[in-house]
Amino acid sequence: MSDPDSAPADPTPPGAVVPLVRLSHVSKYYGAFRALDDVSMDIRRGEVVAVVGASGSGKSTLCRTVNRLETIQSGTIEIDGERLPEEGRELARLRADVGMVFQSFNLFPHRTVLDNITLAPIRVRGIDRAEAEVTAHRLLERVGLDDQAAKRPAQLSGGQAQRVAIARALAMDPKVMLFDEPTSALDPEMINEVLDVVKGLAADGMTMLVVTHEMGFARSVADRVVFMDAGRIVESGAPADFFSAPATERARDFLAKVLSH
């Protein structure tokens, strides 16, 4: 249940550009555990935001609240100026504008790669099958997999499956893409083939929220790095500033550990 009295942390002045995603005072509890604790954040159009932090810091929960895969106890979430409903058709409509790529691909194992990509555009967007298949082939070519269209997920490598998952999310023509640790389930040699696709999307101006433990990606591709700890945003700033001169002791300690390996 959201709190109607929660005002945005940074109200948009008249005439100003509305952020594509706005989280205002969002909290999420699991019993007594606060997975998110009064989190407020804006994502501008075309911005790539990398969310980093230790395991259990709230990164994935933050990502999953943006399209209500995780419900929230208080606060508000807006997509392109519209408040995200809690359930029903309006939630399904807004959720269709938010592409999601998971750690574990979540492809339908009994369907071909082509079917995995065309299913949602046909059923949710009402797109003609022939048109959906043309788009799917174009997207598969974009991620370097057009020759895999007839295969099933079990016949793909992890890196290929994740690239198919990205193509599937793009097929809905989303306004924003959410990536929840997209490389964490991959062998090291497959990580770059997925990150290269994400880098290409960034170069094309796609708005993205990327939860990642790949510091090199966060440093080189993100417009902004958000560092989380204990369900809160501790720091948020340009990658160059965050990695060269983190402002908090907690961020300095985190970077000392992850960059020493």
Side-chain angles (χ1 to χ4, degrees):
M1 186 171 66
S2 33
D3 179 1
D5 296 324
S6 288
D10 181 21
T12 307
V17 177
V18 176
L20 188 54
V21 178
R22 165 163 282 174
L23 286 80
S24 300
H25 304 293
V26 170
S27 292
K28 166 70 180 178
Y29 310 139
Y30 296 102
F33 175 67
R34 291 196 171 202
L36 295 177
D37 187 5
D38 194 34
V39 171
S40 295
M41 179 177 69
D42 287 352
I43 303 175
R44 302 184 301 274
R45 290 173 202 279
E47 187 178 25
V48 179
V49 177
V51 183
V52 303
S55 178
S57 60
K59 309 184 301 296
S60 290
T61 304
L62 174 71
C63 186
R64 292 168 66 88
T65 60
V66 175
N67 62 355
R68 281 231 195 273
L69 286 177
E70 295 282 359
T71 57
I72 59 175
Q73 272 70 44
S74 62
T76 59
I77 300 169
E78 295 178 12
I79 307 294
D80 205 7
E82 287 190 67
R83 188 158 161 174
L84 198 62
E86 293 181 21
E87 57 186 16
R89 289 184 179 179
E90 286 304 296
L91 174 59
R93 179 181 63 80
L94 270 185
R95 190 181 271 169
D97 288 334
V98 182
M100 182 89 190
V101 178
F102 302 88
Q103 297 179 35
S104 54
F105 325 139
N106 286 13
L107 299 174
F108 296 114
H110 59 292
R111 292 183 176 271
T112 66
V113 164
L114 187 65
D115 286 344
N116 265 279
I117 296 172
T118 58
L119 186 65
I122 292 169
R123 292 191 178 179
V124 178
R125 297 281 197 207
I127 293 173
D128 175 75
R129 178 175 295 277
E131 181 182 348
E133 290 187 355
V134 169
T135 299
H137 281 292
R138 176 176 55 80
L139 291 171
L140 282 171
E141 186 174 357
R142 181 176 185 176
V143 300
L145 292 173
D146 198 27
D147 59 342
Q148 308 293 313
K151 289 186 177 179
R152 284 181 164 72
Q155 297 173 281
L156 304 175
S157 71
Q160 289 173 328
Q162 192 61 294
R163 284 184 282 156
V164 170
I166 294 172
R168 179 180 61 178
L170 291 172
M172 291 293 284
D173 193 23
K175 294 178 178 179
V176 58
M177 288 278 284
L178 310 176
F179 293 86
D180 184 12
E181 295 276 17
T183 61
S184 65
L186 301 179
D187 293 332
E189 65 269 21
M190 298 176 184
I191 290 173
N192 283 338
E193 65 188 53
V194 172
L195 290 180
D196 284 345
V197 172
V198 180
K199 289 175 183 177
L201 295 176
D204 290 343
M206 173 63 75
T207 307
M208 293 188 282
L209 175 68
V210 186
V211 174
T212 184
H213 60 274
E214 296 291 336
M215 295 301 116
F217 170 84
R219 188 196 296 261
S220 63
V221 179
D223 299 302
R224 179 159 48 108
V225 174
V226 170
F227 172 65
M228 294 191 68
D229 185 53
R232 287 179 168 267
I233 293 176
V234 177
E235 255 183 78
S236 177
D241 296 333
F242 177 74
F243 285 104
S244 64
T248 63
E249 184 177 349
R250 182 67 191 94
R252 288 192 290 273
D253 180 58
F254 170 77
L255 287 174
K257 289 177 179 175
V258 298
L259 296 180
S260 64
H261 294 290

